[in-house]
Amino acid sequence: MAAGLARLLLLLGLSAGGPAPAGAAKMKVVEEPNAFGVNNPFLPQASRLQAKRDPSPVSGPVHLFRLSGKCFSLVESTYKYEFCPFHNVTQHEQTFRWNAYSGILGIWHEWEIANNTFTGMWMRDGDACRSRSRQSKVELACGKSNRLAHVSEPSTCVYALTFETPLVCHPHALLVYPTLPEALQRQWDQVEQDLADELITPQGHEKLLRTLFEDAGYLKTPEENEPTQLEGGPDSLGFETLENCRKAHKELSKEIKRLKGLLTQHGIPYTRPTETSNLEHLGHETPRAKSPEQLRGDPGLRGSL
């Protein structure tokens, strides 16, 4: 009983002791916004996604230029897809994970053309996916309003999008010929005439048309088209960028230094492997100079007697 009363008096004395000393630090509780894995709206877009390059110039049917600068989104399953015509395609994971994925599925690159018609928009050079870059093909379909209607991934790292818009409902809305300047139209007329006169082959006809579309800025030249996959496949030792190569080299050097330190710590000697010739790799011994013939029973010591 007496002990309990003493504790009570001690607590009362501490509470009546007045404010804390001036040197005592005060704790401040700061509440920060939590995005719960969804893209943090308090961060600028540039801080979240880094594009490898700038989009190609706006090209194609003039009546589609009004779509430039706008974006259209679609949520499927746990992902939000965003299509910005003549700019890029992005994907954002809508989950509560702390490291929810956000990435670029392609940057505006070039048109796909077949039978005098714009059949799709290619978005290339997206974020890395194994040994290649993600890319997307956007097909334009007639619709009552501008909306991203469908997204799928028919093959790994390659995405297919369907964008509906009333701007392509007219039968001639996606024809290539009317969009060309007069000079290129005259070239096209001449190419068709040469094909009719059998002065060029169908293969030559396709090649000349491709060159014409490249001059118009609708297609990229072979030099401008980067390979989508590094040689050797996903298990090769290739690196997509020089920065990745330098980073891997730095990590390997650090690991080698750590392993050498462990060997030294435990007193284990280490030496560099001796170089071998190509013949030794193939199982053949390198010829060596023959020593003087040694007689049976001779200990091998030769010298003047």
Side-chain angles (χ1 to χ4, degrees):
M1 182 69 179
L5 182 60
R7 292 194 190 95
L8 179 60
L9 292 175
L10 178 61
L11 291 174
L12 291 175
L14 291 175
S15 61
K26 295 183 178 180
M27 180 179 294
K28 182 179 180 181
V29 178
V30 179
E31 295 184 0
E32 294 184 356
N34 191 342
F36 297 104
V38 183
N39 297 306
N40 192 337
F42 296 93
L43 292 177
Q45 182 72 13
S47 300
R48 288 178 278 162
L49 300 177
Q50 296 294 333
K52 296 179 181 178
R53 61 169 178 82
D54 294 331
S56 299
V58 178
S59 63
V62 178
H63 57 276
L64 296 182
F65 289 8
R66 68 188 71 179
L67 297 175
S68 179
K70 300 179 181 179
C71 295
F72 307 89
S73 60
L74 172 68
V75 176
E76 284 196 358
S77 184
T78 59
Y79 290 98
K80 177 182 178 181
Y81 298 90
E82 198 167 45
F83 168 53
C84 303
F86 304 106
H87 195 267
N88 63 19
V89 174
T90 57
Q91 180 187 39
H92 309 279
E93 185 178 358
Q94 306 291 287
T95 66
F96 294 98
R97 297 195 309 160
W98 67 271
N99 60 341
Y101 173 78
S102 287
I104 299 176
L105 304 186
I107 304 170
W108 165 236
H109 189 68
E110 64 180 351
W111 286 96
E112 181 177 270
I113 299 176
N115 299 324
N116 185 27
T117 305
F118 294 103
T119 58
M121 304 177 69
W122 273 106
M123 308 284 184
R124 304 189 191 275
D125 301 321
D127 288 348
C129 180
R130 295 183 180 178
S131 61
R132 62 191 304 180
S133 297
R134 301 177 190 270
Q135 56 181 331
S136 303
K137 178 185 176 181
V138 183
E139 293 186 354
L140 305 179
C142 175
K144 296 181 179 180
S145 61
N146 296 325
R147 73 184 189 99
L148 184 58
H150 180 68
V151 178
S152 64
E153 187 177 2
S155 60
T156 305
C157 308
V158 180
Y159 303 83
L161 290 76
T162 301
F163 179 72
E164 294 182 354
T165 173
L167 298 175
V168 300
C169 290
H170 192 278
H172 299 164
L174 294 176
L175 292 181
V176 178
Y177 186 88
T179 66
L180 295 172
E182 292 185 5
L184 292 181
Q185 287 182 353
R186 288 194 296 268
Q187 290 185 27
W188 194 340
D189 294 339
Q190 185 61 48
V191 170
E192 297 297 335
Q193 186 62 48
D194 291 344
L195 179 64
D197 295 338
E198 298 184 352
L199 298 177
I200 57 176
T201 63
Q203 292 80 6
H205 173 263
E206 292 182 4
K207 185 176 181 180
L208 290 173
L209 285 185
R210 177 172 180 85
T211 302
L212 190 148
F213 297 151
E214 291 172 358
D215 293 340
Y218 300 157
L219 300 180
K220 296 296 182 181
T221 62
E223 292 76 14
E224 294 174 309
N225 282 317
E226 298 180 357
T228 56
Q229 184 170 354
L230 298 176
E231 294 183 1
D235 297 329
S236 67
L237 296 179
F239 295 95
E240 192 168 1
T241 63
L242 180 60
E243 183 63 28
N244 290 343
C245 180
R246 289 174 177 170
K247 183 178 179 181
H249 179 268
K250 184 177 180 180
E251 292 176 354
L252 287 175
S253 299
K254 187 184 298 183
E255 180 66 12
I256 292 174
K257 185 177 180 180
R258 185 186 70 84
L259 293 175
K260 286 183 177 180
L262 288 176
L263 293 175
T264 303
Q265 180 181 355
H266 294 281
I268 302 175
Y270 62 89
T271 57
R272 293 183 178 180
T274 57
E275 296 183 358
T276 56
S277 65
N278 293 335
L279 291 177
E280 290 175 338
H281 279 300
L282 296 175
H284 300 286
E285 294 184 358
T286 304
R288 294 180 176 85
K290 292 185 178 180
S291 59
E293 185 178 356
Q294 183 174 337
L295 300 177
R296 183 178 300 176
D298 189 342
L301 299 176
R302 293 181 178 272
S304 58
L305 296 176

